[in-house]
Amino acid sequence: MKYFRLLLLSLLLAIPAFGQMNQPVTWKAEAVQVEGNVYEIRLTGAITGNWHIYDLTDYGSSGPNGTVFTVEDGGKVELVGDPYISSEVHRGYDDIFGMEIGTCESPVVICQKVELIQDDPVTLQVTVEWQACSDENCLPPDDYTVSVTLPSDSGSEAGMTVSEDDDPNAAVPGEGKSIWGLILEAIAWGFVALLTPCVFPMIPMTVSFFLKQNQAVEGEEEKKGRGKWLATVFGISIVALYTIPIAIIILITYFAGGATVTADIFNWLATHWLPNIIFFLIFMLFAASFFGAFEITLPSSWLNKSDEKSNRGGLAGVFFVALTLVLVSFSCTGPIVGSVLIKSTQGQFWEPIITMLAFSIAFALPFTLLAFVPSLLDKLPKSGGWLNSVKVVLGFVEVALGFKFLSVADQTYHWHLLDREVYLAIWIVVFSLLGLYLLGKIKFKFDSPVEYIGVFRLILVITVFSFVVYMIPGMWGAPLKALSGYLPPITTQDFVLDPAQHSGGGVTAYVAGQGRDDGFPADRKYADFLHLPYDIPAFFDYEEARAYAAEVGKPLLIDFTGHGCVNCREMESRVWSDPRVLKLMKEDYVVCSLYGDDKTVLDEKYWVTTDKGKVLKSLGKINSWFVMQRYHVNAQPYYAVIDPVTEKHKVPSRSYNLDRDAYVEFLEKGLE
């Protein structure tokens, strides 16, 4: 009892921490010489997600907290005019505040011109105060202070040092997919898990337990109160059993070695061949089990001990009923939980905790409701052959999803076992078989006879075969933008159609990897095994790309990407395929793609030794180290327009954003 109360208290204390929001705004400072002794100090704010800040207006006590930008001159410079925002400000009437307000989205650029009144270099303290808000809530106001030295050694960009109270690694982060998308997906899988044959039969057993507990209490009011309390504890226990273990693992690695260590672990899980092959084999194993080849169960001793302790009653009994439920349902929820966790590890270290919390809440909710109101059990459908059909359908889905892990290993190690057309062929066959199964043309060991096709089953058949028809043109190079994040890159396909010709009414066929080089050197490093889609000519080594860009007088476009980066594939398929983007990238830029997860071991002369004495040997580790050291970024994708001579940003950098017009504007501004 004492142990369980401590566990319950720990969960209750931990829940508020899950709900805390990280500050979505990070700042980067620079100072550019305008003319003579006049400099423009700029603070560029990167705002992640659906957040915004307010403009520099003082709205008083009845309005929002406007942004405040101050430069402590110390009598060493003269302020030229007032601070201003050079980026876009959205103005409109706000019904809540009853006034017109201005809001800024990412990136926001705040400027202040200053004039030096002495010849010696001076250091200025620059501070910005802001409040980040979304459509749903606002965070407390925050501030950021940075020291800027004028003039800089280069004469074009000021030196910058961050104050002790600020994060020295503050930089433009990769936005990645919204956490809300991961949460919604986790919730959906939580509800799907309830329909599996391992879980659904547990519902009447659970209700029976709570009815038995209530019968031991005299008085209707006492029964209701005790029932609600036990049901609440039951739901919290399920959530705790799913969430706390993964949270403990993440927090241990985080506090032991910091966020970098945790990120390295997740990167290893996401890109190394060993975990990906293991995940692939596990998915195939579970799929075979779902098809009826065998049953996967945990050791009976675990289940027996848990079941014995659940008969004690009280809070301890409720906890062990929850534990029994989690253990018994493992064979069906295991692969689903794995899918949720692996998907979320493509983001930041706390995302697996949040997504597992969402999954477990969705999974526990129906059990908790039935424990509150046992009479609802009579309205549920009875177990039967439909449960095995759900299991078989999940088996087909497991096969399809499992090949994603094999594909990641194949791409990062350049095995070329699962190129795009092979991957698509497998998916087309798998989902075609699923459609035939739903029609009753294929039967498995424990299936009930299909006497007729119901409306819901017919809808599923239409959906599955429509998906198959959608995939078929991909065998000849159709971009399949809806699946761009899950398919191998189009550069692995032997025969594709040039999307650059689509807008002109015709198409040009060519063999991938054997198209135009637009005059780029043929002996570029790593170009023998790395390629960009749509035959975009690119370098894959920073110094080589920078030297060439300086020689031809073009800006350098840095593309920090990865073979296993889902968001990168979506950007390439949905944004880079735009003819305007392709024209700019091919004609006006020198593109340098740096793969952060490539496992190719380089010659010893290219190895890098970090300041901690660690020797980096693979191309991916060296690229990741370089981007982190240079841009303080470890997220993919990341895009930056660089002057190849000064190596300075020409425009604020970008990350995952499928707005094609905004990306065109980003490239066009980089040419100015």
Side-chain angles (χ1 to χ4, degrees), residues 369-415:
L369 290 176
L370 288 170
F372 263 96
V373 189
S375 60
L376 292 175
L377 180 64
D378 296 333
K379 299 180 180 180
L380 291 177
K382 305 303 179 183
S383 300
W386 67 274
L387 270 180
N388 192 70
S389 296
V390 171
K391 193 174 181 179
V392 171
V393 170
L394 286 176
F396 281 108
V397 175
E398 290 288 316
V399 171
L401 294 179
F403 275 94
K404 173 60 180 174
F405 301 108
L406 183 59
S407 173
V408 170
D410 181 66
Q411 293 171 48
T412 55
Y413 289 91
H414 308 290
W415 295 336

Side-chain angles (χ1 to χ4, degrees), residues 348-363:
Q348 300 182 35
F349 76 96
W350 46 266
E351 290 185 354
I353 302 176
I354 299 295
T355 50
M356 188 47 55
L357 180 67
F359 169 85
S360 58
I361 289 175
F363 181 76

Side-chain angles (χ1 to χ4, degrees), residues 501-533:
Q501 306 295 327
H502 289 180
S503 59
V507 293
T508 301
Y510 66 93
V511 179
Q514 299 180 9
R516 305 170 294 273
D517 61 13
D518 289 5
F520 272 39
D523 58 347
R524 305 187 303 277
K525 286 183 181 178
Y526 322 126
D528 55 330
F529 61 89
L530 293 176
H531 311 280
L532 290 189

Side-chain angles (χ1 to χ4, degrees), residues 194 196-212 234 321 325 366-367 370-371 373-384 386-387:
L194 293 166
T196 58
C198 318
V199 178
F200 196 83
M202 291 293 294
I203 294 177
M205 295 173 58
T206 302
V207 174
S208 175
F209 170 83
F210 283 98
L211 287 175
K212 181 179 178 181
F234 179 64
V321 167
L325 169 64
F367 287 98
L370 288 170
V373 189
S375 60
L376 292 175
L377 180 64
D378 296 333
K379 299 180 180 180
L380 291 177
K382 305 303 179 183
S383 300
W386 67 274
L387 270 180

Side-chain angles (χ1 to χ4, degrees), residues 445-491:
K445 184 176 180 180
F446 300 108
D447 280 330
S448 301
V450 179
E451 299 179 358
Y452 61 91
I453 301 296
V455 174
F456 178 71
R457 197 162 185 146
L458 178 62
I459 293 174
L460 289 179
V461 170
I462 294 173
T463 302
V464 170
F465 278 117
S466 297
F467 182 54
V468 171
V469 172
Y470 170 78
M471 288 190 291
I472 290 175
M475 296 292 292
W476 291 271
L480 304 183
K481 295 181 180 181
L483 295 175
S484 56
Y486 298 91
L487 299 178
I490 201 168
T491 54

Side-chain angles (χ1 to χ4, degrees), residues 99 115 182 189 229 237 284 289 417 430 437 558 588 611:
M99 64 177 70
E115 182 177 1
L182 292 171
W189 279 115
W229 166 240
S237 299
M284 297 303 107
S289 175
L417 301 175
V430 168
Y437 172 78
I558 300 296
D588 300 308
D611 53 0

Side-chain angles (χ1 to χ4, degrees), residues 464-650:
V464 170
F465 278 117
S466 297
F467 182 54
V468 171
V469 172
Y470 170 78
M471 288 190 291
I472 290 175
M475 296 292 292
W476 291 271
L480 304 183
K481 295 181 180 181
L483 295 175
S484 56
Y486 298 91
L487 299 178
I490 201 168
T491 54
T492 65
Q493 188 151 337
D494 293 333
F495 183 81
V496 300
L497 300 176
D498 187 352
Q501 306 295 327
H502 289 180
S503 59
V507 293
T508 301
Y510 66 93
V511 179
Q514 299 180 9
R516 305 170 294 273
D517 61 13
D518 289 5
F520 272 39
D523 58 347
R524 305 187 303 277
K525 286 183 181 178
Y526 322 126
D528 55 330
F529 61 89
L530 293 176
H531 311 280
L532 290 189
Y534 319 126
D535 271 357
I536 298 173
F539 286 86
F540 304 99
D541 177 82
Y542 175 78
E543 290 299 334
E544 193 178 52
R546 188 177 71 84
Y548 181 79
E551 178 185 340
V552 299
K554 292 182 179 181
L556 183 62
L557 176 62
I558 300 296
D559 163 39
F560 183 46
T561 183
H563 297 291
C565 173
V566 174
N567 292 346
C568 302
R569 300 294 84 76
E570 286 193 324
M571 285 292 296
E572 292 166 2
S573 177
R574 302 190 183 196
V575 177
W576 285 14
S577 61
D578 188 297
R580 299 171 298 168
V581 174
L582 284 174
K583 185 176 186 297
L584 286 165
M585 293 180 68
K586 291 181 177 181
E587 297 179 5
D588 300 308
Y589 278 91
V590 173
V591 181
C592 177
S593 288
L594 302 176
Y595 283 81
D597 58 3
D598 194 278
K599 306 302 181 182
T600 303
V601 177
L602 305 183
D603 292 338
E604 186 173 354
K605 62 182 179 180
Y606 298 123
W607 293 358
V608 171
T609 302
T610 68
D611 53 0
K612 295 183 179 180
K614 184 178 181 180
V615 179
L616 307 179
K617 301 179 181 180
S618 70
L619 178 61
K621 288 184 177 180
I622 293 173
N623 284 337
S624 295
W625 172 85
F626 169 79
V627 174
M628 188 65 190
Q629 293 294 314
R630 181 63 61 90
Y631 305 114
H632 304 294
V633 170
N634 61 4
Q636 304 164 356
Y638 173 79
Y639 307 103
V641 176
I642 304 298
D643 185 311
V645 177
T646 65
E647 297 188 73
K648 306 300 182 183
H649 283 73
K650 294 173 67 66

